[in-house]
């Protein structure tokens, strides 16, 4: 007997107790309260009721307030005119099962059947498919998490026991006002026919609600439908993300300036600071360039750096990642004669052998005369990849999705062109000789501020 009881208890824990505990306590997969602004949401369960729902709708219309109704499919079938009125007067209609049974007492198939049929009933009445769902008593089973693909599950942050008549309107109003907070989702009932409820309980709810609405409005609260409440949260989150992004970008640019100052990195053209450079010693593996020149450890190089602030501005004005890529590669092409001029200015003292950088360009660079080589495996390759992918996510709205969808494509490589080839193709003060169109393979092309050690 004891073992059977423990077995049943274990099954119930897995099937309903733990899932309900998780959503009620931690809000996993459900919406319980707004996070932005003072707007609060009135929600009503268990209706429609032929006696009380019309009175409630009359009150909401007088006060010009829109609410959310989680209706039972069986009652929607019996009182379609009330469902239609809810919709026509601007309220949101959601689902509260076909009958008021807890999901813990039904199989997943039964829950799905109740919901699907209720959705069909409501859709036939108002012409829209409801997607907001509140399980009766806020109790779910383990398989209800699968419903999140089709529904937005809504719980509450304020519940006041308005299904009982004891205490009358004063109890309900007192509890509503004492628990009222920004973003509250309030659960009330416009029917007293549910198991455990008093039939006349909605009378006191309506009286309390009438006074509560006036008090809440005087305190500066707005009343929103659930979809409006959630939309406000989403918009606010986007603004916060934008603010965070601007802060990150600002810090990133400050860090760039610190690095540039520390490494004495200067603009190629102070009047058009698109590229920066420094002359340094190459520390990487031997690299055979396109024209047969050998770049070896210890050779002097002019190391290129793309101005990330200009890159961010270009990204903000680009239509897409591909558009950004085209802009960047043409910028490189147009700047190469000036880069060669800078090499000529520096080379008599430095004996520069090549122009070098690290980039995410995998195609097209060879048409400009550059040689590409993979970074040798090690900590530097890992750090470079992290740096460039982070930069990709920061500078462009599509960067995050691009980094996720094609991570294998976003592999930084070493890029180099010998001074001899640079002189041949891009004479200082001249025009670009090679006019072959370049087709970029990937959206972000950026140069890192270090050569491999």
């Amino acid at each position: 007997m004891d073992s059977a009881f423990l077995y049943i208890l274990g099954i119930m824990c897995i099937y309903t107790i733990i899932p309900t505990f998780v959503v009620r306590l931690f809000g996993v997969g459900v919406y319980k309260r707004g996070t932005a602004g003072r707007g609060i949401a009135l929600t009503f369960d268990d209706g429609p009721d032929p006696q009380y729902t019309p009175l409630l709708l009359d009150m909401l219309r007088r006060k010009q307030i829109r609410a959310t109704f989680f209706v039972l499919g069986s009652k929607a079938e019996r009182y379609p005119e009330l469902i239609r009125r809810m919709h026509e007067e601007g309220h949101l209609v959601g689902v509260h099962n076909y009958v008021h049974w807890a999901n813990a007492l039904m199989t997943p198939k039964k829950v799905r059947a109740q919901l699907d049929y209720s959705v069909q009933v409501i859709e036939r009445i108002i012409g829209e498919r409801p997607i907001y769902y509140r399980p009766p008593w806020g109790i779910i089973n383990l398989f209800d998490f699968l419903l999140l693909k089709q529904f937005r599950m809504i719980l509450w942050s304020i519940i006041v026991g308005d299904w009982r008549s004891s205490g009358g309107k004063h109890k309900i109003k007192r509890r509503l006002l004492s628990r009222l907070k920004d973003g509250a989702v309030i659960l009330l009932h416009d029917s007293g026919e549910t198991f455990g409820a008093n039939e006349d309980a909605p009378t006191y709810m309506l009286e309390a609600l009438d006074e509560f609405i006036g008090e809440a409005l005087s305190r500066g609260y707005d009343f929103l439908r659930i979809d409006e409440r959630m939309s406000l949260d989403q918009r606010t989150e986007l603004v916060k993300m934008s603010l965070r992004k601007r802060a990150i970008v600002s810090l990133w640019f400050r860090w760039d300036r610190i690095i540039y100052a520390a490494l004495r990195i200067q603009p190629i053209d102070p009047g058009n600071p698109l590229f920066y450079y420094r002359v340094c010693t190459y520390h990487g593996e031997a690299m055979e360039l396109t024209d047969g020149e050998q770049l070896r450890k210890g050779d002097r190089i002019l190391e290129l750096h793309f101005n990330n602030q200009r890159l961010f501005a270009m990204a903000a004005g680009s239509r897409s990642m591909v558009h950004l890529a085209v802009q960047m590669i043409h910028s490189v092409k147009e700047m190469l004669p000036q880069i060669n001029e800078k090499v000529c200015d520096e080379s008599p003292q430095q004996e520069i052998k090549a122009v070098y950088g690290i980039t995410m360009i995998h195609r097209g660079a060879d048409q400009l005369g550059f040689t590409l080589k993979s970074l040798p495996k090690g900590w530097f390759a890992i750090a470079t990849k992290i740096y460039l992918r982070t930069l990709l996510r920061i500078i462009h709205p599509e960067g995050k999705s691009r980094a996720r969808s094609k991570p294998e494509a976003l592999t930084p490589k070493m890029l180099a062109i010998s001074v001899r080839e640079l002189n041949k193709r891009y004479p200082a003060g001249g025009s670009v000789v090679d006019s072959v169109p370049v087709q970029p393979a990937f959206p972000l092309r950026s140069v890192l501020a270090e050569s491999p050690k």
Side-chain angles (χ1 to χ4, degrees), residues 158-304:
I158 296 179
I159 187 169
V160 294
D162 63 308
W163 58 88
R164 304 292 303 199
S165 301
S166 59
K169 75 169 185 178
H170 301 291
K171 177 195 71 176
I172 298 171
K173 179 183 175 182
R174 184 180 67 255
R175 289 180 176 179
L176 285 172
L177 291 174
S178 65
R179 300 173 188 180
L180 182 59
K181 293 182 179 179
D182 295 354
V185 176
I186 300 171
L187 167 58
L188 297 169
H189 300 80
D190 58 328
S191 174
E193 296 179 349
T194 305
F195 175 77
N198 298 132
E199 290 187 8
D200 63 341
T203 300
Y204 304 107
M205 182 277 292
L206 290 170
E207 293 174 354
L209 180 62
D210 193 10
E211 297 180 11
F212 166 76
I213 289 174
E215 181 69 24
L217 290 172
S218 70
R219 294 186 185 183
Y221 288 99
D222 297 321
F223 289 88
L224 306 172
R225 303 185 339 175
I226 277 294
D227 56 341
E228 295 167 340
R229 175 63 268 178
M230 296 175 73
S231 178
L232 176 60
D233 291 340
Q234 291 169 355
R235 291 196 302 270
T236 304
E237 280 302 309
L238 288 174
V239 171
K240 288 180 179 178
M241 287 175 62
S242 179
L243 291 173
R244 286 198 297 269
K245 182 173 181 177
R246 286 200 291 269
I248 292 171
V249 169
S250 177
L251 289 173
W252 194 286
F253 294 159
R254 289 170 185 259
W255 175 251
D256 279 347
R257 288 195 289 271
I258 293 171
I259 293 297
Y260 285 6
L263 299 179
R264 298 182 181 180
I265 298 172
Q266 308 170 56
I268 294 286
D269 179 1
N272 180 27
L274 185 62
F275 283 99
Y276 283 70
Y277 80 98
R278 69 167 179 159
V279 177
C280 58
T281 301
Y282 179 67
H283 294 281
E285 297 177 349
M287 187 174 180
E288 183 174 352
L289 305 183
T290 303
D291 61 347
E293 190 75 78
Q294 293 283 332
L295 181 61
R296 296 184 175 88
K297 186 175 181 179
D299 288 338
R300 300 294 283 173
I301 58 173
L302 186 143
E303 184 180 86
L304 281 179

Side-chain angles (χ1 to χ4, degrees), residues 399-449:
K400 187 175 181 179
S401 60
R402 184 74 182 191
R404 286 179 176 176
S405 62
K406 293 189 176 182
E408 72 287 346
L410 301 175
T411 303
K413 292 194 176 186
M414 298 183 292
L415 174 152
I417 183 172
S418 70
V419 170
R420 183 171 62 189
E421 186 69 13
L422 191 68
N423 282 324
K424 176 182 174 183
R425 288 176 176 255
Y426 313 103
S431 57
V432 177
V433 175
D434 187 354
S435 60
V436 178
V438 178
Q439 298 296 327
F442 303 108
L444 176 65
R445 322 301 181 198
S446 177
V447 180
L448 188 65

